[in-house]
Amino acid sequence: MLRAKRYLIVLGVAAAVLTTVLVLSPFYRGHDRAVDRSPVVGEGATVLYRTTYLLCGYREEREAAVWPELVGCTQEEFMKHHPGWTLLSFSPTRIELERQVEAICPDMVSYRFLTISDGKVAVYYGRSRDHLLLKEVTPVDARTLLPEDRELLQQGVLVEGDGEVTRFLEGLGD
């Protein structure tokens, strides 16, 4: 009889301990699945978008506020709204995304930079001497240019689009 009482007491204590552990456990909380503790996008969060243009090697970064409808989203929900992007980091206040694009950068699509290269008029994609990609070397010989046109081209001429390149080249020597 004493042995049965001890057994019941030990069994009761074990049941109480097990119940306490289960109730306090993050795996319980009223259901069979774990409580999701992953971070969500917070109010006022920012996103850093980093794009690398593979054809010119240029990297562009821009920062923007998170779209209001994405506040409260988990990482997985957020990424569903950004196909083609790779997630670099995710926190409630800042998200960093990256993508690589098989194209030239937007400035190079729109602008042309004309200058003299190896005695010829050369046309480059882009708007800055620091970041140019050769489009073509024209047959226009720099020695045949008027001195003021040659000086202008040595400094570099920025135009927008191929139509402006054609107009500029046609106007040389006029």
Side-chain angles (χ1 to χ4, degrees), residues 12-89:
V13 169
V17 168
L18 184 59
T19 302
T20 303
V21 167
L22 284 175
V23 169
L24 295 178
S25 169
F27 296 102
Y28 185 64
R29 304 279 196 256
H31 12 101
D32 294 329
R33 62 188 185 123
V35 172
D36 186 7
R37 296 191 187 277
S38 58
V40 296
V41 177
E43 190 77 38
T46 59
V47 182
L48 176 68
Y49 295 95
R50 185 175 295 137
T51 303
T52 302
Y53 296 92
L54 297 175
L55 297 182
C56 63
Y58 181 71
R59 178 185 270 179
E60 175 181 81
E61 292 185 359
R62 77 178 168 86
E63 196 160 328
V66 168
W67 307 331
E69 60 270 18
L70 296 182
V71 171
C73 285
T74 63
Q75 176 177 314
E76 291 77 24
E77 294 166 336
F78 181 85
M79 290 308 294
K80 286 179 184 174
H81 294 275
H82 293 83
W85 291 89
T86 301
L87 182 66
L88 298 176
S89 69

Side-chain angles (χ1 to χ4, degrees), residues 56-59 105 108 125-133:
C56 63
Y58 181 71
R59 178 185 270 179
C105 41
M108 289 185 172
Y125 291 104
R127 68 187 307 169
S128 156
R129 275 193 190 273
D130 300 332
H131 188 71
L132 297 173
L133 181 67

Side-chain angles (χ1 to χ4, degrees), residues 69-145:
E69 60 270 18
L70 296 182
V71 171
C73 285
T74 63
Q75 176 177 314
E76 291 77 24
E77 294 166 336
F78 181 85
M79 290 308 294
K80 286 179 184 174
H81 294 275
H82 293 83
W85 291 89
T86 301
L87 182 66
L88 298 176
S89 69
F90 185 92
S91 76
T93 58
R94 184 173 172 81
I95 300 157
E96 291 185 22
L97 300 174
E98 181 178 59
R99 70 177 174 174
Q100 295 183 340
V101 181
E102 192 83 33
I104 59 175
C105 41
D107 271 359
M108 289 185 172
V109 171
S110 301
Y111 294 95
R112 304 293 177 265
F113 189 84
L114 292 88
T115 190
I116 296 173
S117 177
D118 295 329
K120 300 281 186 184
V121 175
V123 181
Y124 292 87
Y125 291 104
R127 68 187 307 169
S128 156
R129 275 193 190 273
D130 300 332
H131 188 71
L132 297 173
L133 181 67
L134 181 64
K135 180 181 188 285
E136 67 178 309
V137 176
T138 71
V140 178
D141 191 322
R143 292 176 295 188
T144 64
L145 297 174

